[in-house]
Amino acid sequence: MTYEWAPSDWGQRLTRSPHWRLRLEDDQLLLTIDGHPYHAPLTALQVHPRLPWARLTLHRDGQAPLMLGGLSPAAARLLAEALSQRRGALRQRDQVTLFQQAHAAIQRWLAQVQTATDLADDESLWLTHDQQQALLQARPALPLDEDALWAVFDDADLRSELDGDPSAIEAALMLWLADWPALWARRNEAHEARELIACRPLLDRVESRPLTAEQARAVICFDNRVQVVAAAGSGKTSTLVAKAAYAVERGLVAPERIVMLAFNKDAATELQARADRAFQRLGLGQVQVEARTFHALGRHIIAQATGRMPQVPDWAVDATQGFHRLAEIIDALKDRSLHFRTQWDMFRLVFGRDLPVIGVPLEAEEWDKDGQGYVRTLQGERVCSIEHCVIADWLFYNGVAYTYARRSTFDAGTDAYRQYRPDFHYPGIALYHDHLPLEGYERAPAHRAGTPGTGHDSERIETTPLQLRTGELFVRLGEALSQRGIELDPNPDRELPDGGATPMPDTELIGLVRTFISHAKSNGLHVEDMVERLRRLPDDHFKHRYRLFLELIIPILDGWDDALVAEGGIDFEDMLNQAAEHLEQGRYVAPFDLVMADEFQDASRARARLCRALVQAPGKHLFAVGDDWQSINRFAGADVSVMTGFVAWFGQGQVLKLEQTFRCPQALCDVSSAFVSRNPAQIPKQVHSVTPAYGAVLQAFQVASRDRLVGAVEQYLAQLHQQLLTGQVPPGRDGKVTVFVLGRYNADRAMLPTTWRARHGQHMEVSFLTAHRSKGTEADYVILPGMLDRRFPNTRADDPVLALAMPESDAYPLGEERRLFYVALTRARRSVAMFTVQGRRSSFLTELVNDGAVRVTSMAGDTIHEQACPACSVGVIVPRTGPYGAFQSCSGYPRCEYKPPKAGGTAHTGPRAYR
C-alpha cells in the first residue's frame, strides 16, 4: 500500500517551503523536492507536529539534513502514525529474519557437536576437555540474545512466519541454551559405564588382583589432564601401569607415544618391570611402554634440540654427593675470602634462628626454677627474649664486652619490675642499652643521659624490634660503640665458652643452602629476582637475616655453576628448565601423546614445567598420580603446591581420588588421616580400608632414660616373636613377619637390636630405614624408636628464608614433618609401636595422646600417669633427692629447672609471658 503527503498551498507559501511530495513505499521513503527524487529508509524521517504547520527533517548520510514545512498538523499526525506502523512491521520482519539466521547458526553448531559426539561414541573415546573447549569456541555469536530469541518464538504472529516445525525449533533453542559441560560430563559418565563392562577382562587381569572401582575409573577417564590423589597403599602405581595397558589395548595411544616418568633410576626400573609384567599378563608381551626418569628424558630432549648430549655430573643429581660437593665449594670460599668465612660463621652463630613477625610470640627454649622462660646465649647468659639473644650473640661474635641484666624480678601485686635495670651495659664507656619490648616497638629510640638507678650520670640508647629486623639496630649500635672507642672485631675462630648455646651446625646450614639452590633453580630465579623478593617482604619480617643469607648464596651459587662448567655439565634443575624451554619454543616437538607421572607429590616446579611443556599441544594427555599427604622431599626441591594447585598449573581437568587402601587397618587410617589433615592446605580424603586388624594398631611405650630404648625395642620384638610362636598373630605374606625400625635420622640405626636375627630370624625379618627412605615400602609392623622432643619432629625443618626461592611455602607449622610422620605411620600393615623417654615426649606423640588415639604405657603395659611440667609442657614432674632432702622438679633438667612450690607456697599456673 502506498501513501502520499504534500504541503498545502497556503502551508507552502507561508513557510516558504520548496514544493515536495512524500510517498511511503513498503519499507522505504520516496521524497521528491522540486522534481528531484530522494530515496531513504523509514528511520531517516522525523516528524515535528506543531501549529499551524508541521515540520519534517530527512537525515542523509554524509550530507546536511533536508528541512521541509507546510504540512498541516492533522496530516502530520497521520504521517507519524503511518511511519510508526510501517517501522513496527519492519522491525518484526527484521526480527523474524534475524531469528531465522540465528536458528540456522544454531543448527549448524548442534550438528557439529553431534558429529563430534557420534565419532567419540563410535570409537569408544572420552570426549576430552580440549574437544569440549574447541566446540565451545566454535559456538557462533548470534544476532539475537536469549530474551530476544524467546520473544520472537513466543509471539504467535511471528512464530507463524518462521520456517520449520515449531516444536523442532523450540527443541533446538532448549538444546542451544543447555549447560553443555554438564551434558558432556553425563555423556562421559555413560561412556565410562560402557567401558567398565567392555574392559572388565583387562581391568581384572592387568595387575595381580582386579582393580577397584576407583582405580578402574581413573584408568578409563581419558581426559587431557587427569590428577589422581591417592591414599597411602591405595595402588597408585598399579593404576598408572593399568592406564598404559588400557591405552594400548584399546588403541587410544600407540605404545611408542606413551612415556611413564619416575623420579629416580630405581623407581623407573621398578615401574618398567611392573609395566612389562602387566603386558605379559594381557598377552601383549611384544609391546613395551617405556619408563624413564625426568633426568633421562630432559637429557634426550636437549640432545635432540641442540645436537649435543648434555653432561650431568653424578653429584648434581644424587642428594648425598651434591651435599658433599657443596661443602667443598663452601670450604674453598672460606679459604679464599676471610669476609665470606666471617659472614658464614656469623650467620651460623648469630642468625641461625629466624625471628617471628612482630607481635607473634616465640616459645622459650629453657625455663628456670620459677617457670620463667629464657633463651641461652653463646656466652651462656639467660636472656628473657630471642631478640635479646640475637643482640647478645652479635656482641659476642664481634668481641664486644657486655653485661646483661635479665628482667626477672616482679612485684607480686603489680607484676611490674621493682627496680629499673637496663638490658645491656658496656663496661668502661658508661653506655647502657635498652631494647624495647614488642608492645612498644613503634616508639622512637632515644639517646638519653642520667640513667636512673645507675648511681651516676651515663648515656643510654634504646633500640626497637623493628630496627632489629631491618638491621638498622646493628648499624646504630656499632656506631655508638665505635664513637666511644670500641671497635668491632668479628672473629669466626673465637672460642665458645662452656655452658653457652649450641650454634647452628655447619651441616644444617649447608643443607639449607642446598635446598635453597634447588628451589631457586627449579623456579628459574636469578639473583635479581631473589633481591626483589627480599625488597617486597614486609619490614616486620627478619629482613636483615634474609639479606645476610643472600650475601652468602650469591658466591656459593656462582661456585656451584663454576663447578658444573669445569666438568662441562649442567645440574638437574637447569637441565629440566632447558628441556622445557626447547619444548616451549618449538625447537623440539615431543613425540608423546600420553605423559604419565608417578609420585607427583614430589614434583619440583622444574619437573612440573617440563610436564606442562610436553603436553602443550592440543590433544595431548597428562596423567599424574600422587599423594600430597606424602610430600616429604622439600629438601630436594619438591614443591607440594604443584600437587595442590594442579588445575592452576595445567588447566582444567579431572581430579580423581583413590581412597581405598590395601595396607593399613581402618583404625590406623583414621588416626593417621586425622593427624595429617589438620593442615588445611592438604587435599581432603576419606580413607577406607579392607585390611583386617590384629590387635592394637597403635601403641606407645615409655622408658626412664634414652639408654634403655634399645632394650625396650628388643623386648617388643621378643613379645611379638612369642605371639607368633603361640599363634596369637599370623605369619606374614612369605611366612615371616616383616618389621621396619624407622628412624628420623640415620643415627637412629643404633636403635635396631643387633640380636634380632639370632633370636627371631626364623620367623621375623627386621630392617632399619629412615622415614624418608621408607616411602613406597611397607611392613607388617613398624617401630618408631625415637619419638623424642626436638628429634621427631625436627622443629627446624622449614626455614622461612626459603620464601626467597619458593613461590609459597607451606605455612602450616611443621607441615613437612607432619607429612613425614604420616608416611611413617602408614608403612604398617598391622601395627605401629612408638617409643619415647620420660620427660622427652615428642609433641606429635603428645598430640595423639590428647586426641585419645593412643595411651602411653610402660613395657609391662601399665598406663603412665604423669603431671606435665607447666613451664615447658614437655617434661614431667618427678621426685628427686638433694642435699636438703626430697623435692620435685621437671624431668627436663637442665633444660627446664622448674620446681613446683612447696605446700603453702604460691602455686604456679603456667609459664610467664615470653617475648
Side-chain angles (χ1 to χ4, degrees):
M1 183 179 294
T2 302
Y3 297 90
E4 286 190 356
W5 282 265
S8 66
D9 292 339
W10 281 103
Q12 183 179 353
R13 293 172 186 172
L14 292 176
T15 60
R16 296 181 181 181
S17 173
H19 181 70
W20 58 269
R21 184 175 297 278
L22 176 68
R23 298 178 63 186
L24 300 186
E25 296 179 339
D26 293 330
D27 59 352
Q28 69 173 0
L29 303 168
L30 174 60
L31 178 64
T32 304
I33 302 177
D34 294 333
H36 297 287
Y38 297 91
H39 293 275
L42 295 176
T43 55
L45 185 66
Q46 283 184 287
V47 181
H48 310 281
R50 64 180 182 177
L51 293 174
W53 310 108
R55 179 169 58 86
L56 306 181
T57 303
L58 184 69
H59 297 277
R60 300 179 297 171
D61 292 338
Q63 299 181 55
L66 292 174
M67 310 297 294
L68 306 172
L71 191 65
S72 69
R77 284 194 296 272
L78 291 174
L79 174 58
E81 291 173 2
L83 283 172
S84 178
Q85 292 174 358
R86 289 289 182 92
R87 288 169 181 168
L90 182 60
R91 279 195 301 270
Q92 289 184 341
R93 197 162 64 224
D94 288 343
Q95 289 292 93
V96 170
T97 301
L98 292 176
F99 186 95
Q100 298 284 34
Q101 294 172 358
H103 181 244
I106 289 172
Q107 292 285 58
R108 287 193 298 271
W109 184 78
L110 292 177
Q112 185 178 353
V113 171
Q114 189 63 49
T115 298
T117 305
D118 289 344
L119 179 62
D121 288 343
D122 291 343
E123 298 186 7
S124 296
L125 300 175
W126 192 273
L127 195 61
T128 68
H129 181 262
D130 280 0
Q131 292 171 312
Q132 294 177 27
Q133 289 302 301
L135 289 171
L136 290 175
Q137 289 170 8
R139 190 178 167 98
L142 301 183
L144 297 175
D145 61 21
E146 178 181 347
D147 291 338
L149 285 172
W150 285 115
V152 174
F153 185 78
D154 291 340
D155 187 305
D157 292 335
L158 297 181
R159 187 169 62 243
S160 65
E161 298 182 32
L162 299 178
D163 297 332
D165 179 10
S167 61
I169 295 174
E170 183 178 21
L173 286 179
M174 295 291 291
L175 201 53
W176 166 263
L177 298 171
D179 182 350
W180 278 97
L183 290 178
W184 287 324
R186 288 196 290 273
R187 182 268 164 197
N188 282 335
E189 289 174 3
H191 164 75
E192 178 186 296
R194 292 192 298 270
E195 285 293 279
L196 284 172
I197 296 172
C199 299
R200 179 50 56 190
L202 181 149
L203 299 173
D204 287 347
R205 294 169 46 230
V206 65
E207 282 288 287
S208 57
R209 57 185 168 193
L211 298 187
T212 66
E214 293 174 330
Q215 291 172 325
R217 182 179 177 225
V219 166
I220 289 170
C221 178
F222 227 87
D223 213 339
N224 299 107
R225 307 289 181 266
V226 178
Q227 179 189 31
V228 177
V229 183
S234 61
K236 295 186 294 292
T237 306
S238 292
T239 305
L240 187 141
V241 167
K243 183 86 167 185
Y246 171 77
V248 172
E249 201 273 343
R250 297 295 279 178
L252 304 178
V253 185
E256 67 274 10
R257 300 190 68 82
I258 300 174
V259 63
M260 299 184 295
L261 295 175
F263 285 79
N264 55 51
K265 290 181 179 178
D266 291 343
T269 300
E270 170 63 19
L271 189 56
Q272 186 70 66
R274 290 277 296 271
D276 292 345
R277 289 196 296 270
F279 280 95
Q280 287 287 350
R281 290 191 198 97
L282 297 173
L284 301 172
Q286 74 283 2
V287 176
Q288 186 179 67
V289 172
E290 188 174 12
R292 309 176 77 167
T293 64
F294 281 89
H295 169 206
L297 179 59
R299 290 187 70 196
H300 173 77
I301 291 172
I302 295 173
Q304 292 295 310
T306 65
R308 184 178 62 85
M309 180 68 73
Q311 299 302 312
V312 183
D314 290 341
W315 55 266
V317 177
D318 181 79
T320 302
Q321 293 185 52
F323 178 91
H324 291 308
R325 177 53 65 93
L326 188 60
E328 293 171 1
I329 291 169
I330 292 169
D331 285 341
L333 287 169
K334 290 180 183 178
D335 292 340
R336 292 200 304 267
S337 169
L338 177 60
H339 174 74
F340 178 87
R341 182 177 170 219
T342 300
Q343 294 293 94
W344 174 270
D345 283 317
M346 183 171 70
F347 189 91
R348 277 198 316 110
L349 273 66
V350 180
F351 299 103
R353 290 172 296 193
D354 196 43
L355 293 178
V357 172
I358 289 177
V360 177
L362 188 70
E363 293 182 358
E365 296 179 352
E366 298 181 74
W367 296 263
D368 64 16
K369 62 183 178 63
D370 295 319
Q372 184 171 358
Y374 64 87
V375 182
R376 192 181 298 274
T377 69
L378 293 174
Q379 196 161 268
E381 297 98 351
R382 298 179 175 187
V383 299
C384 66
S385 81
I386 183 66
E387 296 192 3
H388 285 186
C389 182
V390 172
I391 296 170
D393 290 346
W394 182 84
L395 292 168
F396 171 81
Y397 188 74
N398 284 286
V400 178
Y402 68 91
T403 59
Y404 177 79
R406 183 183 176 207
R407 298 180 179 182
S408 58
T409 305
F410 289 85
D411 182 272
T414 64
D415 204 36
Y417 296 117
R418 293 175 181 169
Q419 179 180 351
Y420 169 79
R421 290 189 295 175
D423 297 316
F424 296 92
H425 172 230
Y426 304 104
I429 60 172
L431 178 65
Y432 292 84
H433 174 193
D434 274 327
H435 186 65
L436 298 180
L438 287 174
E439 58 270 19
Y441 77 91
E442 292 179 339
R443 210 173 84 197
H447 288 267
R448 300 184 181 179
T451 301
T454 61
H456 60 280
D457 286 345
S458 59
E459 287 190 284
R460 178 163 69 95
I461 63 171
E462 290 179 349
T463 55
T464 69
L466 188 60
Q467 290 176 336
L468 175 58
R469 283 161 176 78
T470 62
E472 181 187 349
L473 181 149
F474 304 106
V475 176
R476 292 188 69 248
L477 184 54
E479 290 175 349
L481 294 170
S482 178
Q483 289 169 3
R484 293 161 177 80
I486 296 180
E487 297 299 326
L488 302 183
D489 177 28
N491 183 359
D493 295 322
R494 184 170 285 112
E495 185 176 354
L496 298 176
D498 293 336
T502 302
M504 184 182 196
D506 263 304
T507 53
E508 186 172 328
L509 183 50
I510 294 171
L512 176 60
V513 169
R514 181 67 189 101
T515 301
F516 189 95
I517 289 175
S518 293
H519 283 294
K521 283 178 166 280
S522 180
N523 291 310
L525 297 178
H526 301 288
V527 171
E528 296 79 10
D529 302 315
M530 293 181 277
V531 170
E532 176 60 21
R533 287 187 173 203
L534 173 61
R535 187 191 65 78
R536 292 200 305 264
L537 280 176
D539 284 342
D540 59 0
H541 287 61
F542 200 0
K543 294 180 72 171
H544 182 64
R545 178 178 185 262
Y546 294 9
R547 189 178 300 111
L548 291 174
F549 186 78
L550 274 188
E551 290 176 4
L552 293 174
I553 280 291
I554 292 170
I556 295 172
L557 192 53
D558 289 341
W560 178 271
D561 288 336
D562 289 345
L564 290 169
V565 172
E567 297 189 27
I570 58 177
D571 64 15
F572 197 17
E573 290 81 13
D574 286 341
M575 180 191 63
L576 295 177
N577 282 322
Q578 287 182 24
E581 184 177 357
H582 288 307
L583 290 165
E584 291 163 352
Q585 299 300 319
R587 294 188 288 267
Y588 176 75
V589 178
F592 308 114
D593 293 329
L594 174 59
V595 176
M596 313 175 76
D598 199 10
E599 301 291 351
F600 201 66
Q601 74 279 349
D602 290 330
S604 65
R605 294 176 75 85
R607 288 186 176 101
R609 180 185 175 190
L610 179 58
C611 285
R612 184 170 60 191
L614 286 167
V615 296
Q616 64 185 352
K620 304 289 187 179
H621 300 267
L622 173 65
F623 186 73
V625 183
D627 181 9
D628 62 303
W629 291 6
Q630 298 184 70
S631 179
I632 59 173
N633 288 321
R634 190 180 185 199
F635 67 92
D639 185 348
V640 69
S641 68
V642 171
M643 181 87 183
T644 56
F646 183 84
V647 171
W649 259 95
F650 300 101
Q652 189 61 44
Q654 304 284 332
V655 178
L656 309 177
K657 295 179 181 180
L658 302 183
E659 296 177 312
Q660 177 178 311
T661 180
F662 300 96
R663 184 183 300 155
C664 307
Q666 188 63 51
L668 188 53
C669 291
D670 294 342
V671 171
S672 58
S673 297
F675 179 85
V676 74
S677 59
R678 278 197 169 92
N679 184 344
Q682 306 282 180
I683 301 173
K685 293 190 290 290
Q686 297 294 325
V687 183
H688 53 94
S689 176
V690 296
T691 303
Y694 296 98
V697 299
L698 205 59
Q699 296 174 282
F701 302 102
Q702 181 171 298
V703 295
S705 58
R706 186 168 179 174
D707 58 5
R708 299 187 183 183
L709 282 173
V710 176
V713 172
E714 170 56 35
Q715 184 178 343
Y716 173 82
L717 290 175
Q719 291 172 351
L720 179 58
H721 186 237
Q722 183 62 30
Q723 291 172 337
L724 279 166
L725 294 178
T726 59
Q728 290 178 264
V729 296
R733 293 175 178 174
D734 297 323
K736 287 186 177 183
V737 159
T738 54
V739 182
F740 281 168
V741 178
L742 300 184
R744 175 60 183 84
Y745 305 97
N746 277 309
D748 291 334
R749 184 181 295 274
M751 304 293 183
L752 176 64
T754 58
T755 58
W756 76 264
R757 192 177 300 277
R759 295 184 177 183
H760 318 302
Q762 185 177 355
H763 300 96
M764 298 167 60
E765 185 67 35
V766 185
S767 54
F768 173 83
L769 290 170
T770 63
H772 277 99
R773 291 189 176 276
S774 72
K775 188 158 70 72
T777 65
E778 59 183 46
D780 294 312
Y781 296 87
V782 165
I783 295 173
L784 303 179
M787 294 303 297
L788 307 177
D789 176 45
R790 300 210 291 185
R791 188 163 185 85
F792 200 170
N794 174 1
T795 56
R796 304 181 88 178
D798 296 330
D799 196 302
V801 78
L802 292 174
L804 298 179
M806 294 183 68
E808 184 176 344
S809 60
D810 186 350
Y812 196 78
L814 301 176
E816 180 116 343
E817 288 292 297
R818 185 170 286 267
R819 292 190 291 270
L820 182 62
F821 186 53
Y822 171 80
V823 167
L825 292 177
T826 55
R827 298 311 92 194
R829 289 192 288 262
R830 296 183 183 177
S831 178
V832 177
M834 298 174 286
F835 292 81
T836 190
V837 173
Q838 183 186 54
R840 292 202 57 193
R841 189 177 296 178
S842 160
S843 62
F844 283 174
L845 176 53
T846 298
E847 184 176 326
L848 293 178
V849 171
N850 293 339
D851 289 345
V854 69
R855 63 186 180 95
V856 180
T857 72
S858 67
M859 291 306 298
D862 299 323
T863 300
I864 295 177
H865 299 286
E866 298 174 321
Q867 177 188 349
C869 174
C872 67
S873 302
V874 175
V876 295
I877 303 304
V878 296
R880 299 184 189 273
T881 303
Y884 303 102
F887 66 97
Q888 290 184 316
S889 70
C890 178
S891 62
Y893 180 86
R895 183 180 169 214
C896 179
E897 300 173 352
Y898 172 72
K899 296 179 181 179
K902 294 184 179 180
T906 302
H908 179 76
T909 58
R912 295 185 188 274
Y914 173 74
R915 72 176 200 265

